[in-house]
Amino acid sequence: MKLSRLALAIALASPAAFAANETPRFDEQLKLPEVVVTASRTAESKGDTYSAVTVFTRDDIERLQPSTVPDLLRRTPGVQVMQNGGRGSTVGVFVRGTKTAQTLVLIDGQRANDTNLGGAPLNTLSVDQIERVEILRGPRSAIYGSDAIGGVIQIFTRRAEGPGLSPRVRVAYGSHDTWEQSLGLSGGNNATRFNLSLNHEQSNGFSRSSLRTGTDADNDGFENSSIALNLNHRFSSQTEAGLNISHTDSEYEYDGFGWSQFPYDEVKNSFYSAYLSHQLTQLWSTRLELGYSEGEMHNLDRAAVTDSFNETERESLNWTNSLSLSDAQRLQVGLDWYRDHIHNSGRYTEDSRYNAAAFLQHSYNGENFGTEVGVRHDDNQQFGTENSWNAAFKLPLNDRHQVTLSYAEGFRAPLLSDLYYPVNCYPGWGCSGGNPDLQPETSRTYELRWTGLVSPQVDIEAAAYRTELEDAINGWPPANLDEARIDGIEVTVSADLLGWQNHLSLSLLNAEDRATGNDLVNRARKTLSWDIDRHFGQFAVGASWSASGRTYFDPANTTVIPGYGLLGLRARWQAHPELEVAVKVDNLLDKAYYTTTNFGVPYQEDGRSAQLAFTWTPSL
């Protein structure tokens, strides 16, 4: 039978109810705001998780109208974003003060971090092809292994709306001659569901260099085409299989700052995954996933015959089992395996490695208290074995408030570029390259979190944490720092006041290199995000305010990047049951700001910009 949203939420929250009903479809679970998948690699009630998690559903994405995935992530407490060029260029994401390579990114369950560069292709993903985004803050290496020191970001591509056919067409035009066009078709029947999305974006861009001289005075354009397909079939009430495919092909320009004339990058990324899930008994469900991904980046120049390139491949296999031991207890048991390959113009001495792992996690959610204990054993081809632990204790103060005390370990294996980048020598600069003597990074995080329902209209979550990093990799050539320490406080308030929906996030951070006492680069000590929205019949209006304190560009803390505050406005009109019109203005006050520099020259961010969009969803 098909569960209603309320019944599905109850089924997920209670193992007994879950066992008594038909296993919910995975695509239906992904549409529920109070369900979380990333915390334990299986769907569970958000209230039962032991980690700080922010969830953006499809409804949230349409309400907030973000232009890119980084625009959406900026609204998350403890998350800071830095972009190294115009739209489409590489993005740095700092979760709870950790660097980009210390946060694991998953796309439909598959690892997306580049084994050579560390980041994931968040810059090329189309928000119109996304069903939901889950941001888990804090280490999760006991479940995911390497890279999950700062947290885990999981992106799920768009899913079917239900039986029948549901087409959609979206066209948007905005500043800098920016066009966005997308086509989508979803549907099926009670057994088979699918969603197909096609998207194209292009923009003339603007000059990111503040020099505005020579070749750096030109606009930095962007173009991206993408396709995403999700297909799943229900063989019976207990057995389901699915397939996910996504591919992006993009090109973006940037300023060379005298090192090159008209540089641009061509980037392609593909992710393929298939899964088979089965409810073996009322108490035991199992899921087998097979994945493959490939990435390709070419660094080019329109005024020269140059081509440095980087190509990566990853094969993966995951087997996860969930056992409901009782109404209050659940056990997660799984095996992980993946192999990374790299091929680039640098010709590394080592170009592949594998990682095999097993993990176990037990959770108990009783009336008087709750506990979670997990452990994972990784066997890495280069670095041998690593054990990661996590433990948490949850104490309900009453039916409205609870506190959670947790401890978690994390680790990250060095990138292949950190280890084996060829040594190059430059006159006047010396020689530099990879460091094959690097050791894996490790971390310990202690956290105290309080969640409370102050009133039926006001929900508050606050967390204080400390992360201690050992052998943190930094600099070039890369080296293991003795220790870094990150202290932070996060406060999130969700409130419905006088018909206005408010979401406020405040983060206070002190990320310090313990050897020097200096701040870690690109980490602001204070960040704030506030979204406010309201419906007036067929109309909806909203505003966003975000602010960030100053950061430092260099480890010596001599180059300061000033703080900034940004205001944005948005509105939507349901002009017809099949037609929605949306408009937004970002950086309304035309604030001049930047988040990073290149040899002391700021990479300017966009000033005031606007967009008008039409979405047509005809009925068939």
Side-chain angles (χ1 to χ4, degrees):
M1 68 178 185
K2 181 179 178 181
L3 297 176
S4 67
R5 288 199 168 195
L6 177 60
L8 179 59
I10 294 174
L12 290 171
S14 169
F18 179 87
N21 290 278
E22 173 186 335
T23 306
R25 300 182 69 104
F26 188 60
D27 56 349
E28 291 179 333
Q29 298 172 23
L30 293 180
K31 294 183 181 295
L32 299 175
E34 294 305 316
V35 166
V36 173
V37 177
T38 308
S40 61
R41 300 176 77 153
T42 189
E44 61 183 338
S45 168
K46 188 176 181 180
D48 287 342
T49 63
Y50 289 79
S51 300
V53 183
T54 298
V55 177
F56 293 102
T57 64
R58 184 67 225 170
D59 290 341
D60 294 325
I61 293 173
E62 293 176 355
R63 171 176 57 88
L64 297 170
Q65 299 186 50
S67 297
T68 63
V69 173
D71 288 343
L72 192 64
L73 297 179
R74 287 187 178 97
R75 294 173 158 88
T76 307
V79 177
Q80 300 179 38
V81 179
M82 176 195 71
Q83 194 144 6
N84 292 312
R87 183 168 176 178
S89 59
T90 56
V91 172
V93 179
F94 305 87
V95 178
R96 285 191 167 182
T98 60
K99 63 183 179 182
T100 301
Q102 293 168 336
T103 294
L104 176 64
V105 177
L106 305 171
I107 298 178
D108 289 325
Q110 304 303 306
R111 304 175 76 94
N113 295 64
D114 189 300
T115 189
N116 187 56
L117 302 176
L122 300 174
N123 47 314
T124 61
L125 294 175
S126 168
V127 293
D128 200 55
Q129 294 177 338
I130 294 174
E131 183 66 43
R132 75 190 271 132
V133 180
E134 296 183 1
I135 303 101
L136 184 151
R137 306 186 301 281
R140 214 58 177 168
S141 287
I143 291 290
Y144 293 103
S146 181
D147 305 337
I149 290 179
V152 181
I153 299 172
Q154 178 148 213
I155 297 169
F156 296 95
T157 53
R158 204 143 175 185
R159 309 295 158 128
E161 297 298 324
L165 291 177
S166 301
R168 61 185 181 274
V169 180
R170 180 179 181 271
V171 177
Y173 179 77
S175 301
H176 312 302
D177 202 22
T178 301
W179 283 96
E180 298 177 3
Q181 301 116 5
S182 63
L183 297 173
L185 180 65
S186 71
N189 52 38
N190 290 330
T192 305
R193 304 275 179 88
F194 76 93
N195 183 86
L196 176 64
S197 301
L198 304 173
N199 180 268
H200 182 74
E201 305 168 65
Q202 63 183 40
S203 176
N204 287 342
F206 62 97
S207 179
R208 298 272 294 184
S209 171
S210 59
L211 293 177
R212 298 189 180 277
T213 58
T215 58
D216 287 339
D218 66 324
N219 291 335
D220 302 318
F222 165 71
E223 185 172 4
N224 181 65
S225 298
S226 57
I227 181 172
L229 171 66
N230 167 262
L231 175 67
N232 61 81
H233 178 74
R234 192 95 164 171
F235 294 97
S236 68
S237 60
Q238 289 79 36
T239 307
E240 179 179 323
L243 175 69
N244 300 298
I245 299 174
S246 62
H247 174 77
T248 60
D249 189 341
S250 64
E251 178 183 303
Y252 61 87
E253 300 172 335
Y254 54 96
D255 291 311
F257 296 91
W259 291 89
S260 54
Q261 298 187 58
F262 298 101
Y264 69 100
D265 287 348
E266 292 182 350
V267 181
K268 297 180 181 180
N269 288 287
S270 300
F271 296 90
Y272 309 90
S273 63
Y275 71 88
L276 175 65
S277 62
H278 181 65
Q279 189 78 30
L280 293 168
T281 69
Q282 286 190 339
L283 304 178
W284 181 11
S285 64
T286 187
R287 181 183 176 96
L288 184 67
E289 293 183 75
L290 179 66
Y292 173 77
S293 63
E294 56 184 6
E296 181 179 334
M297 172 182 283
H298 289 259
N299 309 119
L300 305 162
D301 194 316
R302 302 193 191 282
V305 182
T306 61
D307 182 7
S308 62
F309 65 91
N310 177 60
E311 299 174 353
T312 60
E313 293 179 88
R314 176 177 290 129
E315 303 106 18
S316 62
L317 181 64
N318 167 252
W319 182 32
T320 304
N321 297 271
S322 180
L323 295 93
S324 298
L325 305 180
S326 68
D327 290 356
Q329 296 187 71
R330 184 168 61 178
L331 183 66
Q332 299 290 115
V333 182
L335 299 175
D336 264 342
W337 177 90
Y338 60 90
R339 182 192 298 274
D340 291 323
H341 306 263
I342 186 170
H343 174 60
N344 61 19
S345 51
R347 298 182 180 179
Y348 295 178
T349 55
E350 297 285 344
D351 58 8
S352 69
R353 65 184 178 193
Y354 70 81
N355 192 95
F359 62 90
L360 174 73
Q361 180 164 281
H362 176 271
S363 61
Y364 170 77
N365 283 288
E367 292 185 4
N368 299 317
F369 69 92
T371 60
E372 180 183 76
V373 179
V375 61
R376 176 176 167 124
H377 177 80
D378 281 86
D379 184 4
N380 187 280
Q381 183 180 8
Q382 289 179 309
F383 299 102
T385 60
E386 182 74 33
N387 294 322
S388 303
W389 296 82
N390 73 274
F393 177 78
K394 183 187 298 182
L395 179 65
L397 303 179
N398 52 41
D399 59 351
R400 287 188 170 189
H401 303 272
Q402 66 181 17
V403 294
T404 302
L405 180 64
S406 62
Y407 166 80
E409 297 176 349
F411 86 97
R412 183 182 77 89
L415 301 171
L416 289 176
S417 59
D418 291 335
L419 295 163
Y420 304 119
Y421 195 90
V423 175
N424 292 301
C425 298
Y426 304 94
W429 291 82
C431 300
S432 64
N435 180 1
D437 296 325
L438 288 173
Q439 297 300 310
E441 300 174 320
T442 59
S443 71
R444 297 184 302 273
T445 296
Y446 311 86
E447 180 177 353
L448 176 64
R449 187 163 59 95
W450 165 65
T451 56
L453 187 63
V454 178
S455 72
Q457 293 78 33
V458 181
D459 188 2
I460 297 179
E461 178 177 324
Y465 60 89
R466 166 170 287 183
T467 296
E468 298 174 347
L469 285 165
E470 294 184 358
D471 292 323
I473 299 172
N474 204 355
W476 192 258
N480 291 107
L481 297 178
D482 290 336
E483 184 180 351
R485 188 172 71 190
I486 304 170
D487 295 322
I489 295 176
E490 299 170 355
V491 180
T492 302
V493 181
S494 298
D496 191 347
L497 303 175
L498 302 176
W500 291 89
Q501 181 181 356
N502 292 264
H503 188 82
L504 177 69
S505 298
L506 171 67
S507 299
L508 305 177
L509 184 75
N510 182 21
E512 179 182 286
D513 179 348
R514 299 289 287 165
T516 63
N518 293 334
D519 286 4
L520 299 181
V521 298
N522 298 121
R523 276 74 153 185
R525 292 199 170 207
K526 300 176 183 178
T527 56
L528 172 71
S529 175
W530 180 22
D531 290 304
I532 180 170
D533 295 270
R534 183 171 181 176
H535 279 271
F536 297 92
Q538 303 302 313
F539 293 89
V541 296
S544 295
W545 170 260
S546 62
S548 177
R550 72 176 185 180
T551 62
Y552 293 102
F553 175 73
D554 60 324
N557 289 180
T558 57
T559 302
V560 177
I561 298 178
Y564 58 89
L566 305 174
L567 175 64
L569 300 179
R570 55 184 173 271
R572 292 183 295 156
W573 173 38
Q574 196 68 45
H576 183 272
E578 298 179 354
L579 179 65
E580 180 185 83
V581 182
V583 63
K584 67 173 181 175
V585 180
D586 293 326
N587 195 359
L588 179 68
L589 304 180
D590 200 25
K591 173 70 174 180
Y593 73 106
Y594 58 97
T595 60
T596 187
T597 69
N598 190 327
F599 293 97
V601 181
Y603 267 128
Q604 295 185 123
E605 298 291 340
D606 202 359
R608 184 187 300 112
S609 62
Q611 184 188 75
L612 177 65
F614 299 88
T615 303
W616 180 42
T617 54
S619 300
L620 297 180

